[in-house]
């Protein structure tokens, strides 16, 4: 049994030694050059997001709400909405549609009505 352990130890040491020597003989295929940042290009997008939560065709629908029987003074905390809102070129909902915003948002603050969005905006 001791002989077998010695053979395994010798093989492990040989593997380590061959790995270290092979790393010492590697070559770079290109010369390093200094980093030069690309010129920044800024694009400003202007669109209007229309969120309709009531009426015959709402674009935001309540999908989950907490059981608030223990805290009735928190009517909006914890609400989760699924949305499919139009994006338009003007503030009027009837203006030209240029895309859609789809995703979820939830109301996640007890006092200030702060909400978190998780959206994908598709511009066509």
């Amino acid at each position: 049994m001791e002989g077998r352990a010695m053979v395994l130890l010798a093989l492990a040491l040989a593997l380590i030694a061959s790995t270290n020597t092979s790393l010492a003989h590697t070559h770079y295929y290109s010369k390093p050059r200094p980093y030069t940042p690309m010129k920044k290009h800024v694009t400003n997008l202007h669109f209007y997001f229309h969120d309709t939560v009531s009426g015959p065709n709402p674009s935001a629908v309540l999908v989950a709400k907490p059981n608030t029987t223990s805290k009735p003074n928190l009517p909006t905390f914890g609400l989760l909405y699924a949305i499919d809102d139009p994006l338009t070129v003007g503030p009027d909902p009837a203006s030209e549609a240029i895309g859609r915003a789809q995703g979820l948002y939830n109301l996640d603050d007890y006092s200030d009505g702060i909400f978190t969005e998780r959206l994908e905006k598709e511009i066509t």
Side-chain angles (χ1 to χ4, degrees):
M1 193 67 164
E2 186 176 309
R4 188 174 185 188
M6 291 300 285
V7 170
L8 286 175
L9 179 63
L11 284 174
L13 288 174
L15 180 63
I16 292 170
S18 66
T19 304
N20 287 339
T21 58
S22 67
L23 290 176
H25 296 291
T26 60
H27 299 283
Y28 290 108
Y29 291 100
S30 63
K31 292 182 181 180
R33 55 186 170 169
Y35 171 72
T36 54
M38 295 178 63
K39 182 181 175 184
K40 291 184 180 180
H41 180 76
V42 177
T43 302
N44 294 313
L45 299 175
H46 297 274
F47 54 84
Y48 292 85
F49 178 93
H50 301 279
D51 193 34
T52 307
V53 294
S54 63
N57 296 316
S59 62
V61 179
L62 180 67
V63 293
K65 65 180 181 177
N67 181 0
T68 57
T69 56
S70 63
K71 295 183 180 183
N73 59 341
L74 302 173
T76 60
F77 175 73
L79 299 179
L80 178 67
Y81 287 87
I83 65 165
D84 184 11
D85 295 333
L87 302 175
T88 63
V89 295
D92 183 12
S95 62
E96 179 187 358
I98 58 169
R100 303 204 67 80
Q102 299 170 331
L104 300 170
Y105 67 79
N106 64 295
L107 299 161
D108 54 2
D109 187 52
Y110 282 110
S111 59
D112 294 332
I114 296 172
F115 68 95
T116 304
E117 294 180 313
R118 290 163 206 86
L119 300 176
E120 290 290 325
K121 293 171 180 74
E122 176 186 332
I123 307 292
T124 55

